[in-house]
Amino acid sequence: MTELLIKGANLVTGGDDHENALPAGGQDILIKDGRYADPADASAEATVIDADGLTALPGLIDLHTHLREPGREDAETVESGTRAAARGGFAAVLAMANTNPVTDTAEAAAHIRTLGEKAGFAQVFPIGAVSKGLAGEELAELGLMARIGVRMFSDDGNCVSDSRLMRRALEYVRAFDGVIAQHSQDPRLAGRDACCHEGEISGRLGLAGWPSAAEATVIARDAELAKLTNSRLHVCHVSTAESVDVLAWAKKRGIKITAEVTPHHLLLTTAEVQGYDPTYKVNPPLRPDEDVAALRAALADGTIDAVATDHAPHARHDKEHAFADAAFGMLGLETALGVVIETMLNTGALDWDTLVQRTSIAPGRIAGLGSDLGMRPAYGQTAQLTVIDPQRRNPVDAAESFSLSRNNPWHGRELPDPVMITIADGRISYQRQ
């Protein structure tokens, strides 16, 4: 029997009360054989961690992680990516389907999950592709993947631009309460060469523009399809004020739509692109100040439901090109919580309970995990916990990342560096030394 007694932590629960829930506030937390137990039952053999001054949160969940395995193990593996996730406080990640081969079959999804179990740093839930090979022409094996527990499907990296195919996907997943997570990018308005927010800076730099309308119009179309099919739609990495307006309109109509925002879209702006540093090339692109303000407000008021990292590791030879030719994407797992604290908590836009809702409770609900993840800790549950020092800050050093890649947009910037312990599936998966 193993016992871990975390003494004196301030537990923030997200206010999501249910039977046997641990009380919020300062207390001791006992984890016995991986499950929460009454601290009064701790034995003399329990391993004790002094958590005085620390805060405990339900384990974080990332809805949007690129683990690159299989196919690009030079950029990331399931082991290295989940190790980085644990360092960032994540107890679970949803792994995007754009691997090589694509995760578009039940066998491929099961393989990803097995790799996660072997690594043991964070639970890995595969996201299935919507279409075979992400080609946008024919539905993938949605039903067979659902039989092994896959509930979220996405062609992320590609937009499901065919309205008929999108309708069929939404109709299909409704039978098992699945969700289609859309990369909203009209390919006719923002093609594969679009790499910078369309505006004064893209014109001055000579970079192909990515207009806000390319995102908002797809969200509006998909919202109508979600209404038509009475099915669940999730919008990936929302980046513009116009998209926020569409989300608010759709939610007001009772459409089953949820959305996520990335940490980098909450803090970085189009101005970062002016040095042509490909580290800041991301899809959708960084946007102007007014969009960042709208995204923060939407996350605060719930128009945007969750934070998701879009962690996108790349090998050096894929990033070290001229801006227009470099790969899209940046790292995010290890710094996500720090950026959210900096942009949303330290500015007074969120309180701690709402932060827990956006980083754990809502992601678990959207993904349909149906487990001990994404809910308030309760006696008897498997422990999923993130223990943090909310006052701790540090300059980010890309060289210290657990990821195999180094495309870190935060290198050299001082941010909250709060994660002290991550407990995933009942076991300590990260502990700061």
Side-chain angles (χ1 to χ4, degrees):
M1 177 175 290
T2 62
E3 291 184 48
L4 177 66
L5 183 62
I6 302 171
K7 291 188 68 69
N10 177 38
L11 178 64
V12 180
T13 64
D16 192 26
D17 201 7
H18 57 85
E19 190 175 2
N20 295 325
L22 270 67
Q27 61 179 291
D28 297 343
I29 300 172
L30 177 63
I31 300 171
K32 184 178 289 190
D33 287 339
R35 295 181 178 275
Y36 293 113
D38 188 336
D41 295 335
S43 73
E45 286 73 36
T47 300
V48 177
I49 293 177
D50 180 5
D52 184 38
L54 303 184
T55 296
L57 315 172
L60 308 185
I61 299 169
D62 186 26
L63 285 169
H64 193 145
T65 299
H66 297 275
L67 292 175
R68 303 301 189 210
E69 186 179 7
R72 288 305 306 266
E73 290 84 351
D74 56 331
E76 197 77 286
T77 63
V78 171
E79 180 174 354
S80 66
T82 53
R83 191 166 174 240
R87 185 178 185 176
F90 290 94
V93 299
L94 280 291
M96 277 294 175
N98 58 342
T99 48
N100 185 16
V102 171
T103 310
D104 56 4
T105 66
E107 290 78 9
H111 178 59
I112 299 295
R113 191 164 55 197
T114 299
L115 290 174
E117 290 168 355
K118 286 181 178 177
F121 293 106
Q123 293 191 65
V124 176
F125 295 89
I127 294 175
V130 174
S131 66
K132 291 183 178 178
L134 309 180
E137 297 174 353
E138 185 179 356
L139 284 183
E141 296 178 355
L142 307 186
L144 293 177
M145 286 189 276
R147 287 186 188 178
I148 65 164
V150 177
R151 289 292 179 273
M152 198 167 196
F153 300 87
S154 180
D155 277 1
D156 183 62
N158 297 338
C159 179
V160 182
S161 57
D162 184 310
S163 302
R164 182 180 173 85
L165 189 73
M166 187 65 178
R167 174 182 177 173
R168 289 184 60 209
L170 287 163
E171 288 172 337
Y172 206 104
V173 302
R174 184 183 60 204
F176 48 84
D177 196 30
V179 60
I180 300 297
Q182 174 70 294
H183 174 112
S184 304
Q185 178 183 0
D186 185 317
R188 302 287 291 174
L189 291 173
R192 292 196 174 276
D193 62 335
C195 60
C196 180
H197 173 75
E198 183 175 284
E200 184 271 330
I201 290 178
S202 67
R204 177 158 47 85
L205 298 181
L207 298 172
W210 205 122
S212 300
E215 182 174 282
T217 53
V218 173
I219 298 173
R221 182 206 69 173
D222 289 348
E224 288 291 352
L225 293 174
K227 179 174 182 289
L228 176 67
T229 58
N230 191 30
S231 192
R232 290 204 295 134
L233 168 71
H234 178 71
V235 183
C236 296
H237 40 50
V238 176
S239 68
T240 73
E242 289 85 349
S243 297
V244 168
D245 289 342
V246 175
L247 287 167
W249 162 81
K251 288 194 169 191
K252 191 174 181 180
R253 298 174 70 201
I255 294 170
K256 297 175 181 176
I257 187 170
T258 55
E260 68 188 35
V261 64
T262 71
H264 49 268
H265 285 112
L266 289 173
L267 182 52
L268 302 177
T269 71
T270 314
E272 306 286 351
V273 176
Q274 296 187 92
Y276 289 105
D277 183 346
T279 303
Y280 297 102
K281 182 180 177 183
V282 65
N283 191 11
L286 301 176
R287 303 291 189 182
D289 288 333
E290 53 268 32
D291 290 302
V292 172
L295 295 172
R296 291 185 185 186
L299 185 64
D301 68 21
T303 304
I304 293 176
D305 306 79
V307 175
T309 69
D310 195 7
H311 176 81
H314 286 292
R316 290 186 186 280
H317 58 267
D318 290 323
K319 265 296 190 184
E320 292 183 348
H321 293 280
F323 192 91
D325 299 324
F328 289 102
M330 53 182 61
L331 301 185
L333 283 168
E334 292 163 291
T335 49
L337 183 59
V339 175
V340 175
I341 289 174
E342 187 81 338
T343 57
M344 303 300 296
L345 202 84
N346 291 348
T347 59
L350 286 186
D351 58 23
W352 278 106
D353 274 328
T354 312
L355 182 145
V356 166
Q357 286 286 337
R358 304 290 187 263
T359 57
S360 180
I361 307 295
R365 172 173 46 82
I366 293 166
L369 298 186
S371 66
D372 294 336
L373 286 157
M375 59 191 305
R376 178 173 176 162
Y379 297 115
Q381 273 184 1
T382 300
Q384 320 280 357
L385 201 67
T386 305
V387 181
I388 67 170
D389 178 351
Q391 304 305 318
R392 195 173 189 281
R393 300 180 67 90
N394 257 328
V396 176
D397 185 345
E400 295 180 351
S401 175
F402 286 179
S403 172
L404 296 183
S405 295
R406 293 292 177 265
N407 51 313
N408 190 328
W410 313 107
H411 177 68
R413 186 186 297 246
E414 184 179 297
L415 286 171
D417 183 20
V419 178
M420 305 301 288
I421 300 170
T422 301
I423 296 172
D425 205 20
R427 295 173 290 142
I428 293 178
S429 58
Y430 171 75
Q431 185 168 12
R432 187 179 294 277
Q433 301 301 312

